[in-house]
Amino acid sequence: MKSFHKSLIAISAGMLMAFSFSTAIHAQTAGAWTIPAKFKTTKNPVAVSKESVAEGKDLYSKHCKSCHGTKGLGDGPKAATLDVSCSDFSTKKFQAQADGEIFFQISEGKGKMPSFKKTVPEDNTRWAMVNYIRTMAVK
Ligand code: HEC
């Protein structure tokens, strides 16, 4: 009887641990990104120009619009099928991030957000997308 009690306690403790572990993982996937500090100060090597913004827009339409929406509001047709928000590129909070941080997010992805290092292998093309995403800020 005593050992039965002990194992019951052990099982509930185990379940509690598994539960808190899964909530910790969930908290990681929704929202906060872990971005290495150096990306805060990494300079965008692609100057903002009509050409770079147009290049970024072209790639955005191909690879990003389905989730992030035409204006970056996070309302693309695929967004409704995801259990996580696609964010909103028009907000001050989003735009307060450094170019390098946005570049990192596009390159590495997280959770439902794909990594684009392989799909868009040219670094400068991903930087051009950063330039285009800057035009989505609500002035
Ligand atoms: C399959 C849907 C999907 C596609 C396609 C997609 N994203 Fe995302 N994106 C997401 C989701 C979901 C998040 C939020 C991820 C999280 O926080 O877990 C996100 C997050 C981001 C963020 C960070 C937002 C923030 O608030 O800091 C950026 C930047 C971004 N995406 C850019 C892009 C770009 C640029 C492309 C195209 C090259 C792209 N995404 C393609 C789903 C997508």
Side-chain angles (χ1 to χ4, degrees), residues 55-79 82 86-87 89 102 105-107 112-116 119-120 125-126 128-130 132-133 136:
E55 184 189 10
K57 181 177 182 175
D58 189 40
L59 270 287
Y60 180 90
S61 303
K62 257 190 212 123
H63 299 294
C64 324
K65 209 167 76 173
S66 58
C67 288
H68 288 284
T70 311
K71 294 182 173 171
L73 304 179
D75 58 355
K78 257 198 206 161
L82 303 176
C86 290
S87 194
F89 300 157
I102 298 173
Q105 290 167 319
I106 300 171
S107 305
K112 299 283 160 66
M113 163 71 193
S115 152
F116 283 93
T119 324
V120 184
T125 311
R126 277 177 275 122
M129 283 199 270
V130 174
Y132 176 60
I133 286 174
M136 293 170 166

Side-chain angles (χ1 to χ4, degrees), residues 18-33:
F19 177 73
S20 38
F21 188 61
S22 69
T23 45
I25 285 183
H26 190 76
Q28 248 252 322
T29 43
W33 288 69

Side-chain angles (χ1 to χ4, degrees), residues 2-138:
K2 243 188 176 167
S3 67
F4 171 73
H5 241 117
K6 263 192 191 153
S7 55
L8 207 65
I9 289 170
I11 289 170
S12 0
M15 274 166 67
L16 198 72
M17 269 167 65
F19 177 73
S20 38
F21 188 61
S22 69
T23 45
I25 285 183
H26 190 76
Q28 248 252 322
T29 43
W33 288 69
T34 310
I35 304 177
K38 67 169 186 180
F39 286 94
K40 249 196 181 348
T41 49
T42 308
K43 214 174 145 358
N44 185 341
V46 178
V48 178
S49 66
K50 239 167 84 180
E51 291 72 29
S52 79
V53 169
E55 184 189 10
K57 181 177 182 175
D58 189 40
L59 270 287
Y60 180 90
S61 303
K62 257 190 212 123
H63 299 294
C64 324
K65 209 167 76 173
S66 58
C67 288
H68 288 284
T70 311
K71 294 182 173 171
L73 304 179
D75 58 355
K78 257 198 206 161
T81 70
L82 303 176
D83 56 359
V84 58
S85 155
C86 290
S87 194
D88 180 346
F89 300 157
S90 74
T91 62
K92 282 211 170 82
K93 183 170 183 256
F94 172 79
Q95 294 287 342
Q97 298 184 95
D99 278 4
E101 293 175 301
I102 298 173
F103 176 81
F104 176 88
Q105 290 167 319
I106 300 171
S107 305
E108 305 299 330
K110 167 166 88 73
K112 299 283 160 66
M113 163 71 193
S115 152
F116 283 93
K117 265 191 311 208
K118 291 213 178 92
T119 324
V120 184
E122 282 288 322
D123 280 5
N124 282 356
T125 311
R126 277 177 275 122
W127 282 112
M129 283 199 270
V130 174
N131 289 345
Y132 176 60
I133 286 174
R134 288 299 185 202
T135 69
M136 293 170 166
V138 170

